Amino acid sequence: MKLIYEKSSPGRSGVQMSSIKISENEEIPAEYLRSQPAELPEVSEAEVVRHFTALSRLNFSVDTHFYPLGSCTMKYNPKACEAAANLPELTGVHPLWPQLRGGGLLTQGSLAILYHTERLLSEATGLDEFTLQPMSGAHGELTGVMIIAAYHKDRGNEKDHIIIPDSAHGTNPASAHLAGYKVVTIPSDSKGVMDFELFKAALNEKTAGVMLTAPNTLGVFNTRIKEICDAVHEVDGLMYYDGANFNAIMGRYRPGDMGFDICHLNLHKSFGTPHGGGGPGAGPVGVAEKLRPYLPISRVVKTNDGTYSLNYDAPKSIGYIAPFYGNFGIVARAYAYLLCLGRDGMLGTSNRAVLNANYLQEKLRPLFDEKYKGRCMHEFVFSGKCLAQYGVHTLDLAKGMIDRGIHPPTIYFPLNVPESFMVEPTETEDRDTLDYFVSVVEELFELAKTDPDKLHEAPVSTPVGRLDEVKAAREMRLVAER
Ligand SMILES: *Cc1c(COP(=O)(O)O)cnc(C)c1O
Protein backbone atom coordinates (compact mmCIF):
# COMPACT_ATOMS: atom_id res chain seq x y z
CA MET A 1 0.00 0.00 0.00
CA LYS A 2 1.37 3.39 -0.97
CA LEU A 3 1.62 6.00 1.74
CA ILE A 4 2.01 9.69 1.15
CA TYR A 5 3.21 12.28 3.64
CA GLU A 6 1.03 15.27 4.15
CA LYS A 7 2.14 18.43 5.88
CA SER A 8 -0.13 19.63 8.66
CA SER A 9 -0.13 23.02 10.36
CA PRO A 10 2.77 23.85 12.65
CA GLY A 11 2.36 22.73 16.28
CA ARG A 12 2.87 24.84 19.41
CA SER A 13 6.61 24.69 19.00
CA GLY A 14 6.52 25.56 15.32
CA VAL A 15 7.58 21.98 14.61
CA GLN A 16 6.20 20.81 11.27
CA MET A 17 4.53 17.52 12.10
CA SER A 18 3.91 15.05 9.31
CA SER A 19 0.88 12.83 9.26
CA ILE A 20 0.57 9.61 7.31
CA LYS A 21 -2.42 9.31 5.03
CA ILE A 22 -3.45 6.74 2.48
CA SER A 23 -3.36 8.35 -0.93
CA GLU A 24 -6.77 9.14 -2.36
CA ASN A 25 -6.30 7.12 -5.52
CA GLU A 26 -5.25 3.97 -3.67
CA GLU A 27 -8.01 1.39 -3.24
CA ILE A 28 -8.11 -0.85 -0.18
CA PRO A 29 -8.66 -4.40 -1.50
CA ALA A 30 -12.29 -5.49 -1.05
CA GLU A 31 -11.40 -8.49 1.11
CA TYR A 32 -10.02 -6.14 3.76
CA LEU A 33 -13.14 -3.94 3.89
CA ARG A 34 -15.87 -4.41 6.51
CA SER A 35 -19.37 -5.32 5.34
CA GLN A 36 -20.88 -4.03 8.61
CA PRO A 37 -19.86 -1.07 10.77
CA ALA A 38 -17.63 -2.07 13.72
CA GLU A 39 -19.50 -2.94 16.91
CA LEU A 40 -18.15 -0.35 19.26
CA PRO A 41 -19.40 -0.12 22.85
CA GLU A 42 -21.74 2.81 23.38
CA VAL A 43 -20.57 4.44 26.59
CA SER A 44 -20.44 7.98 27.84
CA GLU A 45 -17.21 9.84 28.49
CA ALA A 46 -17.86 9.69 32.24
CA GLU A 47 -18.18 5.89 32.12
CA VAL A 48 -14.92 5.55 30.19
CA VAL A 49 -13.12 7.83 32.64
CA ARG A 50 -14.51 5.86 35.61
CA HIS A 51 -13.47 2.57 34.05
CA PHE A 52 -9.86 3.62 33.50
CA THR A 53 -9.60 5.47 36.83
CA ALA A 54 -10.82 2.32 38.62
CA LEU A 55 -8.24 0.25 36.73
CA SER A 56 -5.44 2.69 37.58
CA ARG A 57 -6.35 2.43 41.29
CA LEU A 58 -5.51 -1.27 41.18
CA ASN A 59 -1.90 -0.33 40.44
CA PHE A 60 0.55 -0.79 43.27
CA SER A 61 3.21 1.72 42.34
CA VAL A 62 5.81 4.15 43.58
CA ASP A 63 3.18 6.91 43.23
CA THR A 64 0.85 5.12 45.66
CA HIS A 65 3.04 3.11 48.07
CA PHE A 66 6.50 2.77 49.62
CA TYR A 67 8.53 0.69 47.16
CA PRO A 68 11.80 -0.55 48.73
CA LEU A 69 12.79 -2.79 45.82
CA GLY A 70 16.52 -3.60 46.04
CA SER A 71 18.80 -3.84 43.01
CA CYS A 72 16.18 -2.47 40.62
CA THR A 73 16.29 0.87 42.43
CA MET A 74 12.80 2.34 42.35
CA LYS A 75 14.23 5.72 43.19
CA TYR A 76 13.03 9.26 42.93
CA ASN A 77 11.97 10.22 39.41
CA PRO A 78 11.07 13.91 39.58
CA LYS A 79 7.92 14.89 37.73
CA ALA A 80 9.77 18.04 36.59
CA CYS A 81 12.24 15.93 34.57
CA GLU A 82 9.31 14.12 32.98
CA ALA A 83 7.83 17.47 31.97
CA ALA A 84 11.16 18.66 30.55
CA ALA A 85 11.58 15.53 28.44
CA ASN A 86 8.04 15.96 27.12
CA LEU A 87 8.57 19.44 25.68
CA PRO A 88 7.34 19.37 22.07
CA GLU A 89 10.70 20.78 20.93
CA LEU A 90 12.21 17.46 22.09
CA THR A 91 9.46 14.96 21.34
CA GLY A 92 8.76 16.41 17.88
CA VAL A 93 12.27 16.05 16.47
CA HIS A 94 12.93 13.33 13.91
CA PRO A 95 16.34 11.66 13.76
CA LEU A 96 16.39 11.89 9.95
CA TRP A 97 16.11 15.67 9.93
CA PRO A 98 19.14 17.52 8.58
CA GLN A 99 21.70 18.31 11.24
CA LEU A 100 22.25 21.88 10.11
CA ARG A 101 20.01 23.19 7.30
CA GLY A 102 16.19 23.13 7.21
CA GLY A 103 15.10 21.48 10.45
CA GLY A 104 18.64 22.07 11.69
CA LEU A 105 17.70 24.65 14.26
CA LEU A 106 15.84 22.05 16.33
CA THR A 107 18.24 19.22 15.58
CA GLN A 108 21.06 21.40 16.85
CA GLY A 109 19.28 21.72 20.19
CA SER A 110 18.92 17.95 20.53
CA LEU A 111 22.53 17.38 19.56
CA ALA A 112 23.58 19.98 22.12
CA ILE A 113 21.65 18.09 24.83
CA LEU A 114 23.42 14.86 23.86
CA TYR A 115 26.80 16.58 23.79
CA HIS A 116 26.36 18.29 27.16
CA THR A 117 24.92 15.17 28.84
CA GLU A 118 28.05 13.31 27.76
CA ARG A 119 30.23 16.04 29.30
CA LEU A 120 28.24 15.98 32.57
CA LEU A 121 28.49 12.19 32.84
CA SER A 122 32.25 12.42 32.18
CA GLU A 123 32.47 14.96 34.98
CA ALA A 124 30.45 12.74 37.33
CA THR A 125 32.41 9.55 36.63
CA GLY A 126 35.92 10.84 35.93
CA LEU A 127 36.01 9.06 32.56
CA ASP A 128 37.14 10.94 29.45
CA GLU A 129 34.49 10.15 26.85
CA PHE A 130 30.91 8.87 26.79
CA THR A 131 28.53 7.27 24.35
CA LEU A 132 24.82 7.56 25.07
CA GLN A 133 23.78 4.93 22.55
CA PRO A 134 23.25 1.72 24.59
CA MET A 135 19.60 1.24 25.52
CA SER A 136 19.90 -0.65 28.81
CA GLY A 137 22.44 -1.57 31.45
CA ALA A 138 22.99 -4.97 29.84
CA HIS A 139 23.38 -3.31 26.43
CA GLY A 140 25.96 -0.96 27.96
CA GLU A 141 27.85 -3.95 29.39
CA LEU A 142 27.93 -5.64 26.00
CA THR A 143 29.18 -2.39 24.43
CA GLY A 144 31.84 -2.16 27.13
CA VAL A 145 33.04 -5.73 26.75
CA MET A 146 33.12 -5.33 22.95
CA ILE A 147 35.36 -2.28 23.52
CA ILE A 148 37.58 -4.43 25.77
CA ALA A 149 37.80 -7.03 22.98
CA ALA A 150 38.57 -4.36 20.34
CA TYR A 151 41.34 -2.90 22.55
CA HIS A 152 43.05 -6.27 23.00
CA LYS A 153 42.71 -7.18 19.32
CA ASP A 154 44.22 -3.85 18.33
CA ARG A 155 47.22 -4.42 20.61
CA GLY A 156 47.67 -8.02 19.58
CA ASN A 157 46.95 -9.23 23.13
CA GLU A 158 45.86 -12.83 23.47
CA LYS A 159 43.16 -12.82 26.10
CA ASP A 160 40.51 -15.43 26.73
CA HIS A 161 38.61 -14.69 29.94
CA ILE A 162 36.94 -12.07 32.12
CA ILE A 163 36.89 -12.25 35.91
CA ILE A 164 33.55 -11.58 37.64
CA PRO A 165 32.62 -11.96 41.33
CA ASP A 166 29.71 -14.27 42.17
CA SER A 167 27.62 -11.40 43.56
CA ALA A 168 27.45 -9.75 40.10
CA HIS A 169 24.21 -9.14 38.27
CA GLY A 170 23.56 -12.02 35.84
CA THR A 171 23.95 -9.67 32.89
CA ASN A 172 27.72 -9.38 33.58
CA PRO A 173 28.66 -12.97 32.71
CA ALA A 174 26.10 -12.97 29.89
CA SER A 175 27.72 -9.89 28.30
CA ALA A 176 31.24 -11.27 28.67
CA HIS A 177 30.13 -14.55 27.11
CA LEU A 178 28.38 -12.82 24.19
CA ALA A 179 31.57 -10.89 23.44
CA GLY A 180 33.41 -14.21 23.14
CA TYR A 181 35.09 -14.51 26.54
CA LYS A 182 35.13 -17.32 29.07
CA VAL A 183 33.89 -16.24 32.49
CA VAL A 184 35.89 -16.95 35.64
CA THR A 185 33.65 -16.56 38.71
CA ILE A 186 35.21 -15.59 42.04
CA PRO A 187 33.30 -16.36 45.28
CA SER A 188 32.60 -13.65 47.85
CA ASP A 189 34.48 -13.57 51.15
CA SER A 190 32.91 -13.24 54.63
CA LYS A 191 32.54 -9.46 54.14
CA GLY A 192 30.50 -10.01 50.97
CA VAL A 193 33.09 -8.76 48.45
CA MET A 194 35.19 -10.62 45.86
CA ASP A 195 37.68 -12.86 47.70
CA PHE A 196 41.01 -11.11 47.12
CA GLU A 197 43.27 -14.17 47.35
CA LEU A 198 41.10 -16.22 44.99
CA PHE A 199 41.03 -13.26 42.60
CA LYS A 200 44.84 -12.99 42.64
CA ALA A 201 45.09 -16.72 41.95
CA ALA A 202 42.76 -16.45 38.93
CA LEU A 203 44.46 -13.38 37.42
CA ASN A 204 47.00 -14.05 34.66
CA GLU A 205 48.28 -12.85 31.27
CA LYS A 206 45.13 -14.18 29.61
CA THR A 207 42.82 -11.98 31.71
CA ALA A 208 41.06 -9.52 29.41
CA GLY A 209 39.45 -7.63 32.27
CA VAL A 210 37.49 -7.63 35.51
CA MET A 211 33.86 -6.54 35.87
CA LEU A 212 33.11 -5.09 39.30
CA THR A 213 29.94 -3.60 40.72
CA ALA A 214 30.71 -1.08 43.45
CA PRO A 215 28.93 -1.06 45.77
CA ASN A 216 27.87 -4.56 44.81
CA THR A 217 24.47 -6.18 44.83
CA LEU A 218 24.85 -6.99 48.55
CA GLY A 219 25.22 -3.25 49.17
CA VAL A 220 28.88 -3.70 50.15
CA PHE A 221 31.71 -1.47 48.92
CA ASN A 222 34.99 -3.22 48.11
CA THR A 223 37.78 -1.33 49.87
CA ARG A 224 40.57 -3.00 47.83
CA ILE A 225 39.56 -1.60 44.43
CA LYS A 226 42.85 0.25 43.98
CA GLU A 227 44.87 -2.95 44.52
CA ILE A 228 42.59 -4.86 42.14
CA CYS A 229 42.94 -2.17 39.44
CA ASP A 230 46.74 -2.09 39.78
CA ALA A 231 47.02 -5.88 39.53
CA VAL A 232 44.75 -6.01 36.47
CA HIS A 233 46.58 -3.18 34.69
CA GLU A 234 49.83 -5.02 35.38
CA VAL A 235 48.75 -7.73 32.90
CA ASP A 236 47.26 -5.11 30.48
CA GLY A 237 43.74 -6.07 31.51
CA LEU A 238 40.92 -3.52 31.72
CA MET A 239 38.72 -2.65 34.68
CA TYR A 240 34.98 -2.48 34.02
CA TYR A 241 32.73 -0.62 36.49
CA ASP A 242 29.11 -1.78 36.55
CA GLY A 243 27.56 1.53 37.57
CA ALA A 244 23.98 0.36 38.14
CA ASN A 245 24.47 1.24 41.82
CA PHE A 246 26.06 4.61 41.09
CA ASN A 247 23.40 6.38 43.16
CA ALA A 248 25.22 5.09 46.27
CA ILE A 249 28.48 6.93 45.54
CA MET A 250 27.73 9.74 43.10
CA GLY A 251 29.15 13.10 44.08
CA ARG A 252 31.60 11.36 46.43
CA TYR A 253 33.73 8.91 44.46
CA ARG A 254 34.37 8.68 40.71
CA PRO A 255 35.10 5.34 39.00
CA GLY A 256 37.72 7.01 36.80
CA ASP A 257 39.65 8.21 39.86
CA MET A 258 39.50 4.72 41.40
CA GLY A 259 41.28 3.25 38.34
CA PHE A 260 38.40 1.94 36.25
CA ASP A 261 38.78 2.15 32.45
CA ILE A 262 35.15 1.65 31.42
CA CYS A 263 31.81 2.06 33.10
CA HIS A 264 28.14 1.95 32.29
CA LEU A 265 25.46 3.90 34.10
CA ASN A 266 21.77 3.07 34.22
CA LEU A 267 20.00 6.34 33.47
CA HIS A 268 16.79 4.45 34.31
CA LYS A 269 18.06 3.73 37.81
CA SER A 270 20.24 6.64 38.89
CA PHE A 271 19.19 9.57 36.69
CA GLY A 272 15.52 10.35 36.70
CA THR A 273 13.77 7.64 34.66
CA PRO A 274 11.62 4.98 36.33
CA HIS A 275 12.99 1.47 36.18
CA GLY A 276 10.67 -1.47 35.79
CA GLY A 277 8.24 -2.89 33.32
CA GLY A 278 11.07 -3.69 30.97
CA GLY A 279 12.05 -0.27 29.75
CA PRO A 280 12.71 1.88 27.86
CA GLY A 281 16.08 2.64 29.39
CA ALA A 282 19.54 3.93 28.63
CA GLY A 283 22.93 2.52 29.62
CA PRO A 284 25.57 5.08 28.56
CA VAL A 285 29.17 3.88 28.53
CA GLY A 286 32.14 5.98 29.61
CA VAL A 287 35.75 5.17 28.75
CA ALA A 288 39.25 6.34 29.63
CA GLU A 289 41.21 8.18 26.95
CA LYS A 290 43.03 5.09 25.64
CA LEU A 291 39.68 3.47 24.71
CA ARG A 292 38.19 6.47 22.90
CA PRO A 293 38.90 5.12 19.37
CA TYR A 294 36.78 2.01 19.96
CA LEU A 295 33.54 3.74 21.01
CA PRO A 296 30.50 2.95 18.85
CA ILE A 297 29.41 5.27 16.04
CA SER A 298 27.97 7.80 15.65
CA ARG A 299 29.64 10.29 17.95
CA VAL A 300 28.31 13.78 18.68
CA VAL A 301 31.01 16.34 17.97
CA LYS A 302 31.20 20.09 18.36
CA THR A 303 32.94 21.94 15.56
CA ASN A 304 34.99 25.12 15.76
CA ASP A 305 32.07 27.28 14.62
CA GLY A 306 30.01 26.06 17.62
CA THR A 307 27.68 23.75 15.71
CA TYR A 308 27.07 20.09 16.56
CA SER A 309 27.04 17.13 14.22
CA LEU A 310 27.19 13.34 14.18
CA ASN A 311 30.54 11.93 13.20
CA TYR A 312 30.83 8.45 11.67
CA ASP A 313 34.55 8.59 10.88
CA ALA A 314 36.08 6.22 13.43
CA PRO A 315 38.01 3.39 11.76
CA LYS A 316 38.68 1.51 15.02
CA SER A 317 35.11 1.82 16.30
CA ILE A 318 33.20 -1.30 17.33
CA GLY A 319 30.52 0.02 14.94
CA TYR A 320 26.79 0.42 15.37
CA ILE A 321 25.24 -0.52 18.69
CA ALA A 322 21.88 1.27 18.33
CA PRO A 323 19.94 3.08 15.60
CA PHE A 324 20.38 6.87 15.46
CA TYR A 325 21.37 8.01 18.91
CA GLY A 326 19.88 5.67 21.50
CA ASN A 327 16.85 6.51 23.65
CA PHE A 328 16.83 10.28 23.36
CA GLY A 329 13.87 10.81 25.72
CA ILE A 330 15.68 9.02 28.56
CA VAL A 331 18.79 11.10 27.95
CA ALA A 332 16.71 14.29 28.04
CA ARG A 333 15.32 13.29 31.46
CA ALA A 334 18.83 12.57 32.73
CA TYR A 335 20.06 15.94 31.41
CA ALA A 336 17.27 17.73 33.30
CA TYR A 337 18.05 15.68 36.42
CA LEU A 338 21.79 16.40 36.27
CA LEU A 339 21.18 20.14 35.80
CA CYS A 340 18.72 20.18 38.73
CA LEU A 341 21.08 18.36 41.08
CA GLY A 342 24.54 19.61 40.28
CA ARG A 343 27.42 18.14 42.25
CA ASP A 344 26.04 19.12 45.68
CA GLY A 345 22.66 17.62 44.84
CA MET A 346 24.30 14.38 43.74
CA LEU A 347 26.19 14.16 47.00
CA GLY A 348 22.99 14.88 48.94
CA THR A 349 21.18 12.14 47.03
CA SER A 350 23.80 9.48 47.67
CA ASN A 351 24.16 10.55 51.33
CA ARG A 352 20.41 10.19 51.89
CA ALA A 353 20.28 6.86 50.04
CA VAL A 354 23.05 5.43 52.24
CA LEU A 355 21.63 6.94 55.44
CA ASN A 356 18.14 5.54 54.82
CA ALA A 357 19.46 2.06 54.04
CA ASN A 358 21.65 1.99 57.17
CA TYR A 359 18.77 3.26 59.31
CA LEU A 360 16.60 0.35 58.18
CA GLN A 361 19.43 -2.17 58.43
CA GLU A 362 20.16 -1.23 62.03
CA LYS A 363 16.48 -1.31 63.03
CA LEU A 364 15.88 -4.71 61.41
CA ARG A 365 19.19 -6.36 62.29
CA PRO A 366 17.91 -7.94 65.54
CA LEU A 367 15.14 -9.78 63.66
CA PHE A 368 17.14 -11.50 60.89
CA ASP A 369 20.02 -13.96 60.65
CA GLU A 370 22.38 -11.59 58.96
CA LYS A 371 25.18 -13.15 56.97
CA TYR A 372 27.12 -9.94 56.32
CA LYS A 373 27.67 -7.70 59.34
CA GLY A 374 28.74 -4.07 59.15
CA ARG A 375 27.55 -0.96 57.37
CA CYS A 376 25.83 -1.09 54.01
CA MET A 377 25.70 1.40 51.17
CA HIS A 378 22.35 2.11 49.44
CA GLU A 379 20.82 -1.34 49.99
CA PHE A 380 21.23 -4.40 52.20
CA VAL A 381 20.44 -8.10 52.04
CA PHE A 382 19.13 -10.18 54.94
CA SER A 383 18.29 -13.86 54.99
CA GLY A 384 14.78 -14.94 55.99
CA LYS A 385 16.08 -18.42 56.93
CA CYS A 386 15.37 -17.64 60.58
CA LEU A 387 11.63 -17.91 59.80
CA ALA A 388 11.91 -21.50 58.57
CA GLN A 389 11.43 -22.82 62.16
CA TYR A 390 7.83 -21.51 61.99
CA GLY A 391 7.24 -22.91 58.49
CA VAL A 392 7.37 -19.39 57.07
CA HIS A 393 9.42 -18.24 54.07
CA THR A 394 10.64 -14.90 52.76
CA LEU A 395 7.89 -15.14 50.16
CA ASP A 396 5.24 -15.13 52.92
CA LEU A 397 6.84 -12.08 54.52
CA ALA A 398 6.76 -10.28 51.16
CA LYS A 399 3.12 -11.16 50.53
CA GLY A 400 2.12 -10.01 54.02
CA MET A 401 3.58 -6.57 53.27
CA ILE A 402 1.21 -6.04 50.37
CA ASP A 403 -1.79 -6.18 52.74
CA ARG A 404 -0.12 -3.51 54.84
CA GLY A 405 0.42 -1.09 51.95
CA ILE A 406 4.09 -1.74 51.20
CA HIS A 407 5.48 -3.04 47.93
CA PRO A 408 7.64 -6.07 48.78
CA PRO A 409 11.41 -5.69 48.60
CA THR A 410 13.37 -7.86 46.15
CA ILE A 411 13.33 -11.49 47.34
CA TYR A 412 15.34 -14.61 46.38
CA PHE A 413 18.00 -12.41 44.74
CA PRO A 414 20.98 -12.33 45.02
CA LEU A 415 21.29 -16.08 44.79
CA ASN A 416 24.32 -16.36 47.08
CA VAL A 417 22.17 -15.53 50.14
CA PRO A 418 19.54 -18.18 51.02
CA GLU A 419 15.95 -16.86 51.41
CA SER A 420 17.27 -13.42 50.57
CA PHE A 421 15.37 -10.27 51.42
CA MET A 422 16.89 -7.24 49.72
CA VAL A 423 15.85 -3.76 50.77
CA GLU A 424 16.61 -0.47 49.07
CA PRO A 425 14.72 2.48 50.52
CA THR A 426 14.58 5.44 48.17
CA GLU A 427 16.56 8.48 49.28
CA THR A 428 13.46 10.66 49.30
CA GLU A 429 11.53 8.58 51.87
CA ASP A 430 11.01 10.28 55.24
CA ARG A 431 11.57 8.79 58.67
CA ASP A 432 7.87 8.13 59.31
CA THR A 433 7.70 5.90 56.23
CA LEU A 434 10.88 4.04 57.24
CA ASP A 435 9.57 3.56 60.79
CA TYR A 436 6.27 2.25 59.42
CA PHE A 437 8.20 -0.30 57.34
CA VAL A 438 10.08 -1.47 60.45
CA SER A 439 6.82 -1.80 62.39
CA VAL A 440 5.30 -3.89 59.58
CA VAL A 441 8.29 -6.28 59.51
CA GLU A 442 8.12 -6.62 63.31
CA GLU A 443 4.39 -7.32 63.14
CA LEU A 444 4.88 -9.97 60.45
CA PHE A 445 7.64 -11.70 62.46
CA GLU A 446 5.25 -11.82 65.42
CA LEU A 447 2.53 -13.27 63.19
CA ALA A 448 4.97 -15.91 61.87
CA LYS A 449 5.41 -17.14 65.46
CA THR A 450 1.77 -16.97 66.57
CA ASP A 451 -0.34 -17.65 63.46
CA PRO A 452 1.82 -18.67 60.49
CA ASP A 453 -1.19 -19.79 58.43
CA LYS A 454 -2.42 -16.21 58.29
CA LEU A 455 0.83 -15.33 56.55
CA HIS A 456 0.52 -18.24 54.12
CA GLU A 457 -2.82 -16.82 52.98
CA ALA A 458 -1.55 -13.30 52.28
CA PRO A 459 -2.27 -11.16 50.37
CA VAL A 460 -5.98 -10.96 51.10
CA SER A 461 -6.61 -7.29 50.25
CA THR A 462 -5.67 -7.40 46.55
CA PRO A 463 -7.90 -8.13 43.52
CA VAL A 464 -5.93 -11.36 43.00
CA GLY A 465 -4.83 -13.38 46.05
CA ARG A 466 -1.87 -15.76 46.43
CA LEU A 467 -1.07 -17.34 43.10
CA ASP A 468 -0.10 -20.96 42.65
CA GLU A 469 3.22 -20.14 41.00
CA VAL A 470 4.18 -23.76 40.32
CA LYS A 471 0.87 -24.43 38.58
CA ALA A 472 1.13 -21.17 36.67
CA ALA A 473 4.55 -22.17 35.37
CA ARG A 474 3.53 -25.75 34.52
CA GLU A 475 0.18 -24.99 32.95
CA MET A 476 0.81 -21.63 31.44
CA ARG A 477 -2.24 -20.20 29.72
CA LEU A 478 -1.45 -17.14 27.69
CA VAL A 479 -4.84 -16.56 26.06
CA ALA A 480 -7.69 -15.16 28.13
CA GLU A 481 -10.87 -17.22 28.21
CA ARG A 482 -14.00 -15.60 26.87
C1 LIG B 1 20.01 -3.54 36.75
C2 LIG B 1 21.40 -3.97 36.74
C3 LIG B 1 22.04 -4.32 35.54
C4 LIG B 1 21.34 -4.43 34.21
O1 LIG B 1 20.68 -3.28 33.80
P1 LIG B 1 19.43 -3.40 32.80
O2 LIG B 1 19.16 -1.98 32.42
O3 LIG B 1 18.31 -4.02 33.59
O4 LIG B 1 19.84 -4.21 31.63
C5 LIG B 1 23.38 -4.64 35.60
N1 LIG B 1 24.06 -4.65 36.76
C6 LIG B 1 23.46 -4.34 37.94
C7 LIG B 1 24.27 -4.38 39.20
C8 LIG B 1 22.11 -3.99 37.97
O5 LIG B 1 21.52 -3.71 39.14
Side-chain angles (χ1 to χ4, degrees):
M1 196 178 300
K2 203 171 93 199
L3 297 176
I4 59 163
Y5 290 87
E6 188 196 52
K7 263 200 189 135
S8 63
S9 56
R12 174 151 90 75
S13 62
V15 177
Q16 288 279 341
M17 297 295 188
S18 301
S19 60
I20 293 172
K21 199 185 148 197
I22 296 168
S23 147
E24 254 112 63
N25 50 20
E26 284 290 317
E27 293 268 311
I28 296 176
E31 73 233 64
Y32 296 125
L33 289 176
R34 290 181 181 284
S35 52
Q36 302 283 327
E39 262 184 62
L40 297 174
E42 301 227 350
V43 281
S44 67
E45 178 184 305
E47 279 177 276
V48 173
V49 170
R50 275 174 215 148
H51 172 70
F52 284 105
T53 306
L55 283 183
S56 77
R57 284 198 191 158
L58 299 179
N59 277 344
F60 207 95
S61 73
V62 80
D63 282 343
T64 56
H65 296 91
F66 179 42
Y67 209 117
L69 197 69
S71 182
C72 287
T73 312
M74 291 304 293
K75 62 189 295 299
Y76 176 45
N77 305 124
K79 301 283 184 266
C81 299
E82 197 69 28
N86 275 300
L87 290 171
E89 288 82 352
L90 302 184
T91 55
V93 179
H94 194 282
L96 284 180
W97 277 2
Q99 285 165 35
L100 281 170
R101 291 177 306 282
L105 205 57
L106 286 162
T107 322
Q108 280 295 303
S110 304
L111 291 173
I113 288 178
L114 295 169
Y115 182 84
H116 288 292
T117 306
E118 287 181 357
R119 300 291 80 72
L120 289 172
L121 293 179
S122 277
E123 185 76 23
T125 56
L127 287 160
D128 298 299
E129 190 62 67
F130 256 86
T131 171
L132 300 170
Q133 293 213 8
M135 295 191 173
S136 73
H139 196 194
E141 290 171 32
L142 179 63
T143 305
V145 188
M146 285 169 70
I147 290 172
I148 293 180
Y151 168 84
H152 289 309
K153 189 165 172 237
D154 200 22
R155 291 169 65 91
N157 289 345
E158 286 195 10
K159 304 285 191 178
D160 67 3
H161 68 269
I162 297 225
I163 294 178
I164 303 175
D166 69 351
S167 63
H169 203 268
T171 47
N172 286 195
S175 303
H177 180 76
L178 267 182
Y181 287 112
K182 279 188 287 194
V183 174
V184 176
T185 307
I186 309 293
S188 304
D189 65 12
S190 61
K191 291 198 190 104
V193 297
M194 179 167 78
D195 188 294
F196 190 74
E197 295 314 319
L198 294 175
F199 153 71
K200 282 295 287 272
L203 182 71
N204 60 43
E205 292 292 327
K206 294 261 181 178
T207 305
V210 175
M211 295 177 89
L212 270 194
T213 310
N216 66 18
T217 297
L218 297 170
V220 186
F221 191 80
N222 191 326
T223 52
R224 302 184 81 169
I225 285 178
K226 174 109 193 9
E227 284 169 82
I228 295 170
C229 289
D230 289 346
V232 170
H233 289 146
E234 193 86 355
V235 296
D236 200 15
L238 295 170
M239 285 299 296
Y240 184 96
Y241 178 83
D242 178 330
N245 297 335
F246 192 60
N247 63 317
I249 63 158
M250 62 183 187
R252 186 173 293 280
Y253 301 115
R254 307 195 308 167
D257 299 339
M258 289 189 250
F260 286 97
D261 306 290
I262 312 180
C263 92
H264 87 260
L265 299 171
N266 289 52
L267 298 189
H268 50 290
K269 287 181 180 172
S270 308
F271 294 104
T273 288
H275 180 51
V285 169
V287 295
E289 188 58 44
K290 63 180 175 185
L291 300 175
R292 194 192 288 263
Y294 312 106
L295 282 168
I297 46 175
S298 58
R299 312 250 346 102
V300 184
V301 290
K302 190 176 179 183
T303 46
N304 289 339
D305 65 359
T307 57
Y308 301 92
S309 56
L310 295 177
N311 182 9
Y312 294 83
D313 181 22
K316 290 187 176 182
S317 163
I318 60 166
Y320 285 97
I321 252 319
F324 303 114
Y325 214 85
N327 270 333
F328 178 65
I330 312 295
V331 175
R333 276 180 190 80
Y335 183 58
Y337 188 73
L338 287 160
L339 290 184
C340 287
L341 254 62
R343 178 160 187 259
D344 290 349
M346 280 195 186
L347 188 58
T349 296
S350 57
N351 281 348
R352 288 285 298 255
V354 173
L355 178 65
N356 278 1
N358 277 285
Y359 183 79
L360 283 188
Q361 182 178 243
E362 284 306 311
K363 290 269 180 181
L364 295 176
R365 205 192 284 277
L367 289 174
F368 287 85
D369 273 343
E370 196 194 338
K371 192 169 170 197
Y372 303 105
K373 304 260 187 267
R375 292 261 181 271
C376 63
M377 293 294 285
H378 62 305
E379 64 191 359
F380 60 90
V381 183
F382 282 158
S383 167
K385 239 172 60 182
C386 51
L387 292 168
Q389 56 184 312
Y390 315 112
V392 169
H393 295 278
T394 299
L395 180 72
D396 305 312
L397 199 61
K399 299 291 187 195
M401 288 188 175
I402 300 174
D403 287 331
R404 287 153 184 85
I406 292 177
H407 189 284
T410 301
I411 56 172
Y412 300 109
F413 179 83
L415 303 175
N416 55 348
V417 176
E419 292 282 325
S420 54
F421 180 83
M422 181 187 210
V423 179
E424 178 170 6
T426 304
E427 74 277 6
T428 40
E429 297 297 343
D430 61 14
R431 190 162 154 191
D432 286 347
T433 307
L434 302 183
D435 285 337
Y436 175 66
F437 178 72
V438 173
S439 72
V440 165
V441 181
E442 283 168 350
E443 183 197 337
L444 294 173
F445 265 69
E446 203 46 44
L447 197 60
K449 289 175 201 164
T450 54
D451 194 356
D453 276 342
K454 267 249 161 63
L455 261 183
H456 294 143
E457 286 155 18
V460 293
S461 61
T462 46
V464 178
R466 180 80 70 108
L467 300 175
D468 183 341
E469 291 180 17
V470 178
K471 188 163 189 251
R474 289 221 178 113
E475 298 168 32
M476 202 182 297
R477 212 175 329 120
L478 296 175
V479 182
E481 270 167 34
R482 286 180 183 254

